Amino acid sequence: MCPAREGRWGRRQRALLCCVLVAAWEAAWGQLRYSVPEELPKGSFVGDVAKDLALQLAALRDRGARILDRGRTRYFTLHANSGHLVTAERLDREHLCEVLQRCVLRCEVIVEGDMKVYEIEVEITDINDNAPSFREAEKELRMSETTPPGSRFSLAEAYDPDVGVNSLQSYELSGDEHFSLSVQAGADGEKRPELVLAKALDREEAAFHELVLRASDGGEPSRTGTARIRVSVLDANDNAPVFSQAVYAVRVPEDVPVGSTLLTLTATDADEGLNGNVKYSLKKITDKASKVLYLDPEAGSIRLVRSLDFEERNSYELEVQVDDDGGLSDTATVSISVTDVNDNAPELTVSSALSEISEDAPSGTVVALLHVQDRDSGANGEVRCSLVGDVPFRLRSSVGSYYSVVTARELDREEVSEYNVTVRAADGGSPSLRSSAVLALRVLDVNDNAPVFAEARYSARLAENNAEGALVLTVRARDADWGQNARVRYRLAEGRVRGAPLSSYVSVQAETGALYALRSFDYEEVREVGLWVRAEDGGAPALSSNVSVRLLIVDENDNAPQVLYPPAAAAGAAAGAVWTGVELAPRSAEPGALVAKVVAVDADAGQNAWLSYELAKATEPGLFRVGLHSGEVRTARSPLARDAPRHSLVVVVKDQGRPALSATATLTVVLAESVAELLSELGSAAAPAEPAGSLTRWLVLAVAAVSCLFLAFLLLLLALRLRRWRRSQLLPPASGALRGVPASHFVGIDGVRAFLHSYSHEVSLTADSRKSQRRWAADSCCNTLPARPPPDKAAPLLGEDAAGARGAQPDALPGVDVNMKILKSML
């Protein structure tokens, strides 16, 4: 006894464990099953979806869980706050599942955040909410009085849409002792009532018999339905009508036109006269079938009164009864099978879809979840899905009839910013039916592109002396990204120009990339500025790129020529444009002999620094000429005796700028054969002019000076005598006084005569005259007398006088370094 109990208990535990494992397996695979009775009010609890799917309520709300709606009637609703599945309306099992023993409704819950779909099956259990009913509340039967006892007559069956114990269970007959009730079980398990004649009829005794047929179900409480049967006793009727077939079966396509005759029943009666007339009637038919099919009682034909739909119902079963006027009858079963026609295109439903996706989404990211179904069957219901066009997406089969649209590769918003993905579904019918759905997807930008400048490098030319704040150029960079990631800002890289920060010279506008000069540039100071401009986008992290900018300062003619030789006189220096000098030219000079050379520089560059020389003014216009580009002053002809001993030459030095700038150099050329003549001319030229108001005073002084001059003349005469004697000792007799030395070897320096070419020298000239250098090399002399007399020779007699003359006129030698010992050696 105990082992048997333990065995039964163990089997129950194993069965319970199997049920739990099956439920867990179904939940893991996204399928839930619930059961609720019919006729529950709207909002009734069905199941706890959140708990059964192991989802937190917060996650359920955040991930957008909802019931999928495909355009059908929604029977259930998911409460996001509680995670409960509740009824959306009152459910009637008999209306939802008319001919099905097990009524199951299916719905799907989608969690959009996870792009997952869970199938839910809800079984609607039956309650006893329908009583058995007869198609005809009153039925009249005709029987001949000669009908033998024990004869059976079929009665109309009651119909109860409930199932199980709530369906029809029994029949009862009451009302007359001549009749009894017999209930036969059909092959399909249905109970078929038959009226059995228990006692012979006698029309003279009773022409009519009233009976009541009661049908009862097995519900609690039990429900019943009744039908009244009126039996009319007739004269003798020997033969009952007979159908040509016991079962009629026909197959018709679902697209058969309304009004078509599906089949015609045939029954014959061997009797003649009224007893041979037959009429057809429906003995058993469902409510829905009665709305689609019509039986002609006279002809026995079954016509279509409403369109067939294979997807709604694929077969109809009904019983037809034929009666003659004598009360005899026969029954036949009619089976109508509806064949499928490819009349339904695939239904493609977008269950969930993203409207935007980041361009850096990994390959395989789900962007949409599609459901496809075809209500047809067989090949007509087989659906193939595909994507139209060359798009970076692919279809992936999911649970059941679901497809996922996933990325096939990484996206690039800069190539394609929006996609219209067309999904096409086609069935296997002939011809094939198609449907499509379009997914609009916008690609979100990621900062994956650095700004790119329009040019690989920039250069600009800026004229010097520009205004402060002048626009130099504009750099432009484009970022292929979008929005904030494409917003470009510009800034200067760190740098220095001539020791000063670069930012003190130029600036760049952060938004436009315009480069401005912050100061006025001077070509003579800064000729070129090299800098880097950085373009940076607004992404996080920001991306940047650099470009080099070369700013060339263009020279303007803003510097006049600067004369290096002859040097500037004191008064001329004050005026800023007058340059003076004294040169010696022998009267015996040949045409083209070099007298002097005007040396000038221009701080500008290029054409602005190209200098030309021309003789603007001369005491004797035809005596001297100036080289156009060399500045050399040469004799145009040999000096004549009538030519004045002193000539003033004004040389204009001009550059080639626009407008041209110029400077003036004044040369005094003295035609002399000896130093004495030179000094005489220089002395008379160096005498300063005095105001007219002091004439009396100067006359007094002149009388004193004449006396002194006479004494000086005597001394000078003595000196000249000694000088000639000295020269006769140093030079050959054939060489006259300074006649063997070309005039170009002298340089006039405001009253002092010195050899110009007797000594080689180096002159370094730069654009900045302040940096020019002049270096004399004393050891490289040629064709000249030595700088100092030999130790064994006596010093010149007139050395002291020459030194005194030089000391008497210091103003005539401004800024010039002259070695007076040369003059002493000459004298």
CSV table of all heavy atoms in Angstrom, one decimal, residues 120-151:
chain,number,residue,atom,x,y,z
A,120,ILE,N,2.6,35.3,-27.0
A,120,ILE,CA,1.7,34.9,-25.8
A,120,ILE,C,0.5,34.2,-26.3
A,120,ILE,O,-0.2,34.7,-27.3
A,120,ILE,CB,1.3,36.2,-25.0
A,120,ILE,CG1,2.5,36.9,-24.5
A,120,ILE,CG2,0.3,35.8,-23.9
A,120,ILE,CD1,2.2,38.2,-23.7
A,121,GLU,N,0.2,33.0,-25.8
A,121,GLU,CA,-1.0,32.3,-26.1
A,121,GLU,C,-2.0,32.3,-24.9
A,121,GLU,O,-1.6,32.0,-23.8
A,121,GLU,CB,-0.7,30.9,-26.4
A,121,GLU,CG,0.0,30.7,-27.8
A,121,GLU,CD,0.2,29.2,-28.1
A,121,GLU,OE1,-0.2,28.4,-27.3
A,121,GLU,OE2,0.8,29.0,-29.2
A,122,VAL,N,-3.2,32.7,-25.2
A,122,VAL,CA,-4.2,32.8,-24.1
A,122,VAL,C,-5.4,31.9,-24.5
A,122,VAL,O,-6.0,32.1,-25.5
A,122,VAL,CB,-4.7,34.2,-23.9
A,122,VAL,CG1,-5.7,34.3,-22.7
A,122,VAL,CG2,-3.5,35.2,-23.6
A,123,GLU,N,-5.6,30.9,-23.7
A,123,GLU,CA,-6.7,30.0,-24.0
A,123,GLU,C,-7.9,30.5,-23.3
A,123,GLU,O,-7.9,30.8,-22.1
A,123,GLU,CB,-6.3,28.6,-23.5
A,123,GLU,CG,-7.4,27.6,-23.7
A,123,GLU,CD,-7.1,26.2,-23.3
A,123,GLU,OE1,-6.0,26.0,-22.7
A,123,GLU,OE2,-7.9,25.3,-23.4
A,124,ILE,N,-9.0,30.6,-24.0
A,124,ILE,CA,-10.3,31.0,-23.5
A,124,ILE,C,-11.1,29.8,-23.2
A,124,ILE,O,-11.5,29.0,-24.1
A,124,ILE,CB,-11.0,31.9,-24.6
A,124,ILE,CG1,-10.1,33.0,-25.1
A,124,ILE,CG2,-12.2,32.5,-24.0
A,124,ILE,CD1,-9.5,33.9,-24.1
A,125,THR,N,-11.3,29.6,-21.9
A,125,THR,CA,-12.1,28.4,-21.4
A,125,THR,C,-13.6,28.7,-21.4
A,125,THR,O,-14.0,29.9,-21.3
A,125,THR,CB,-11.6,28.0,-20.0
A,125,THR,OG1,-11.8,29.1,-19.1
A,125,THR,CG2,-10.1,27.6,-20.0
A,126,ASP,N,-14.3,27.7,-21.6
A,126,ASP,CA,-15.8,27.8,-21.8
A,126,ASP,C,-16.5,27.9,-20.4
A,126,ASP,O,-16.0,27.2,-19.5
A,126,ASP,CB,-16.3,26.7,-22.6
A,126,ASP,CG,-17.8,26.8,-22.9
A,126,ASP,OD1,-18.2,27.9,-23.4
A,126,ASP,OD2,-18.5,25.9,-22.6
A,127,ILE,N,-17.5,28.7,-20.4
A,127,ILE,CA,-18.4,28.7,-19.3
A,127,ILE,C,-19.8,28.4,-19.8
A,127,ILE,O,-20.1,28.6,-21.0
A,127,ILE,CB,-18.4,30.0,-18.5
A,127,ILE,CG1,-18.9,31.2,-19.4
A,127,ILE,CG2,-17.0,30.3,-17.9
A,127,ILE,CD1,-19.1,32.5,-18.6
A,128,ASN,N,-20.7,28.0,-19.0
A,128,ASN,CA,-22.0,27.6,-19.5
A,128,ASN,C,-22.9,28.9,-19.6
A,128,ASN,O,-23.8,29.1,-18.7
A,128,ASN,CB,-22.7,26.6,-18.5
A,128,ASN,CG,-23.9,26.0,-19.1
A,128,ASN,OD1,-24.1,25.9,-20.3
A,128,ASN,ND2,-24.8,25.5,-18.2
A,129,ASP,N,-22.7,29.6,-20.7
A,129,ASP,CA,-23.4,30.8,-20.9
A,129,ASP,C,-24.4,30.7,-22.1
A,129,ASP,O,-25.0,31.7,-22.4
A,129,ASP,CB,-22.4,32.0,-21.2
A,129,ASP,CG,-21.5,31.7,-22.4
A,129,ASP,OD1,-21.4,30.5,-22.7
A,129,ASP,OD2,-21.0,32.7,-22.9
A,130,ASN,N,-24.5,29.5,-22.6
A,130,ASN,CA,-25.5,29.3,-23.7
A,130,ASN,C,-26.3,28.1,-23.4
A,130,ASN,O,-25.8,27.0,-23.0
A,130,ASN,CB,-24.7,29.1,-25.0
A,130,ASN,CG,-24.0,30.3,-25.5
A,130,ASN,OD1,-24.6,31.3,-26.0
A,130,ASN,ND2,-22.7,30.3,-25.3
A,131,ALA,N,-27.6,28.2,-23.7
A,131,ALA,CA,-28.6,27.1,-23.5
A,131,ALA,C,-28.7,26.4,-24.9
A,131,ALA,O,-28.6,27.0,-25.9
A,131,ALA,CB,-29.9,27.6,-23.0
A,132,PRO,N,-29.0,25.1,-24.9
A,132,PRO,CA,-29.3,24.4,-26.1
A,132,PRO,C,-30.5,25.0,-26.8
A,132,PRO,O,-31.4,25.5,-26.2
A,132,PRO,CB,-29.5,23.0,-25.7
A,132,PRO,CG,-28.9,22.8,-24.4
A,132,PRO,CD,-29.0,24.1,-23.7
A,133,SER,N,-30.4,25.1,-28.1
A,133,SER,CA,-31.5,25.7,-28.9
A,133,SER,C,-31.8,24.9,-30.2
A,133,SER,O,-30.9,24.2,-30.7
A,133,SER,CB,-31.2,27.1,-29.3
A,133,SER,OG,-30.0,27.2,-30.1
A,134,PHE,N,-33.0,24.9,-30.6
A,134,PHE,CA,-33.4,24.3,-31.9
A,134,PHE,C,-33.6,25.3,-33.0
A,134,PHE,O,-34.0,26.4,-32.7
A,134,PHE,CB,-34.7,23.5,-31.7
A,134,PHE,CG,-34.6,22.3,-30.7
A,134,PHE,CD1,-34.8,22.5,-29.4
A,134,PHE,CD2,-34.2,21.0,-31.2
A,134,PHE,CE1,-34.7,21.4,-28.5
A,134,PHE,CE2,-34.1,20.0,-30.3
A,134,PHE,CZ,-34.3,20.2,-29.0
A,135,ARG,N,-33.2,24.9,-34.2
A,135,ARG,CA,-33.4,25.8,-35.3
A,135,ARG,C,-34.9,26.2,-35.4
A,135,ARG,O,-35.2,27.3,-35.8
A,135,ARG,CB,-32.9,25.2,-36.6
A,135,ARG,CG,-31.4,25.3,-36.7
A,135,ARG,CD,-31.0,24.8,-38.1
A,135,ARG,NE,-31.7,25.5,-39.2
A,135,ARG,CZ,-31.3,26.7,-39.7
A,135,ARG,NH1,-30.3,27.3,-39.1
A,135,ARG,NH2,-32.0,27.2,-40.6
A,136,GLU,N,-35.8,25.2,-35.2
A,136,GLU,CA,-37.2,25.5,-35.4
A,136,GLU,C,-37.9,25.2,-34.0
A,136,GLU,O,-37.7,24.1,-33.5
A,136,GLU,CB,-37.8,24.6,-36.4
A,136,GLU,CG,-37.3,24.9,-37.8
A,136,GLU,CD,-37.9,24.0,-38.9
A,136,GLU,OE1,-38.7,23.1,-38.5
A,136,GLU,OE2,-37.5,24.1,-40.1
A,137,ALA,N,-38.5,26.2,-33.5
A,137,ALA,CA,-39.2,26.0,-32.2
A,137,ALA,C,-40.4,25.1,-32.3
A,137,ALA,O,-40.8,24.4,-31.3
A,137,ALA,CB,-39.6,27.3,-31.6
A,138,GLU,N,-41.0,25.0,-33.5
A,138,GLU,CA,-42.1,24.1,-33.7
A,138,GLU,C,-41.8,23.3,-35.0
A,138,GLU,O,-41.4,23.8,-36.0
A,138,GLU,CB,-43.4,24.8,-33.8
A,138,GLU,CG,-43.8,25.6,-32.6
A,138,GLU,CD,-45.1,26.3,-32.7
A,138,GLU,OE1,-45.7,26.2,-33.8
A,138,GLU,OE2,-45.6,26.9,-31.8
A,139,LYS,N,-42.1,22.0,-34.9
A,139,LYS,CA,-41.8,21.1,-36.0
A,139,LYS,C,-43.1,20.2,-36.2
A,139,LYS,O,-43.6,19.7,-35.3
A,139,LYS,CB,-40.6,20.2,-35.7
A,139,LYS,CG,-40.3,19.1,-36.7
A,139,LYS,CD,-39.8,19.8,-38.0
A,139,LYS,CE,-39.4,18.7,-39.0
A,139,LYS,NZ,-38.9,19.3,-40.3
A,140,GLU,N,-43.5,20.1,-37.5
A,140,GLU,CA,-44.6,19.2,-37.8
A,140,GLU,C,-44.2,18.0,-38.5
A,140,GLU,O,-43.4,18.1,-39.5
A,140,GLU,CB,-45.6,20.0,-38.6
A,140,GLU,CG,-46.9,19.2,-39.0
A,140,GLU,CD,-47.9,20.0,-39.8
A,140,GLU,OE1,-47.6,21.2,-40.1
A,140,GLU,OE2,-48.9,19.4,-40.1
A,141,LEU,N,-44.6,16.8,-38.0
A,141,LEU,CA,-44.3,15.6,-38.7
A,141,LEU,C,-45.6,15.0,-39.2
A,141,LEU,O,-46.7,15.0,-38.5
A,141,LEU,CB,-43.7,14.6,-37.7
A,141,LEU,CG,-42.3,15.0,-37.2
A,141,LEU,CD1,-41.8,13.9,-36.2
A,141,LEU,CD2,-41.3,15.1,-38.3
A,142,ARG,N,-45.6,14.3,-40.3
A,142,ARG,CA,-46.7,13.6,-40.9
A,142,ARG,C,-46.4,12.1,-40.9
A,142,ARG,O,-45.4,11.7,-41.4
A,142,ARG,CB,-47.0,14.1,-42.2
A,142,ARG,CG,-47.4,15.6,-42.3
A,142,ARG,CD,-47.7,16.0,-43.7
A,142,ARG,NE,-48.1,17.4,-43.7
A,142,ARG,CZ,-48.4,18.1,-44.8
A,142,ARG,NH1,-48.4,17.4,-46.0
A,142,ARG,NH2,-48.8,19.4,-44.8
A,143,MET,N,-47.4,11.3,-40.3
A,143,MET,CA,-47.2,9.9,-40.3
A,143,MET,C,-48.5,9.2,-40.8
A,143,MET,O,-49.6,9.7,-40.4
A,143,MET,CB,-46.9,9.4,-38.9
A,143,MET,CG,-45.6,9.9,-38.3
A,143,MET,SD,-45.2,9.3,-36.7
A,143,MET,CE,-43.7,10.1,-36.3
A,144,SER,N,-48.3,8.2,-41.5
A,144,SER,CA,-49.5,7.4,-41.9
A,144,SER,C,-50.0,6.6,-40.8
A,144,SER,O,-49.2,6.1,-39.9
A,144,SER,CB,-49.1,6.5,-43.1
A,144,SER,OG,-50.2,5.7,-43.4
A,145,GLU,N,-51.2,6.4,-40.7
A,145,GLU,CA,-51.8,5.6,-39.6
A,145,GLU,C,-51.4,4.1,-39.7
A,145,GLU,O,-51.6,3.3,-38.8
A,145,GLU,CB,-53.3,5.7,-39.6
A,145,GLU,CG,-54.0,5.2,-40.9
A,145,GLU,CD,-55.5,5.4,-40.8
A,145,GLU,OE1,-56.0,5.6,-39.6
A,145,GLU,OE2,-56.2,5.4,-41.8
A,146,THR,N,-50.9,3.8,-40.9
A,146,THR,CA,-50.5,2.4,-41.1
A,146,THR,C,-49.0,2.2,-40.7
A,146,THR,O,-48.5,1.1,-41.0
A,146,THR,CB,-50.7,2.0,-42.6
A,146,THR,OG1,-49.9,2.8,-43.4
A,146,THR,CG2,-52.2,2.1,-43.0
A,147,THR,N,-48.4,3.2,-40.2
A,147,THR,CA,-47.0,3.1,-39.9
A,147,THR,C,-46.9,2.1,-38.7
A,147,THR,O,-47.5,2.2,-37.7
A,147,THR,CB,-46.4,4.5,-39.4
A,147,THR,OG1,-46.6,5.4,-40.4
A,147,THR,CG2,-45.0,4.3,-39.0
A,148,PRO,N,-46.0,1.1,-38.9
A,148,PRO,CA,-45.9,0.0,-37.9
A,148,PRO,C,-45.2,0.6,-36.7
A,148,PRO,O,-44.4,1.5,-36.8
A,148,PRO,CB,-45.1,-1.0,-38.6
A,148,PRO,CG,-44.3,-0.3,-39.6
A,148,PRO,CD,-45.2,0.8,-40.1
A,149,PRO,N,-45.5,0.1,-35.5
A,149,PRO,CA,-44.8,0.5,-34.3
A,149,PRO,C,-43.3,0.1,-34.4
A,149,PRO,O,-43.0,-0.9,-35.0
A,149,PRO,CB,-45.5,-0.3,-33.2
A,149,PRO,CG,-46.9,-0.6,-33.7
A,149,PRO,CD,-46.7,-0.8,-35.2
A,150,GLY,N,-42.5,0.9,-33.8
A,150,GLY,CA,-41.1,0.7,-33.8
A,150,GLY,C,-40.4,1.5,-35.0
A,150,GLY,O,-39.2,1.6,-35.0
A,151,SER,N,-41.2,2.2,-35.7
A,151,SER,CA,-40.6,3.0,-36.8
A,151,SER,C,-39.9,4.2,-36.2
A,151,SER,O,-40.4,4.8,-35.1
A,151,SER,CB,-41.7,3.5,-37.8
A,151,SER,OG,-42.3,2.4,-38.4
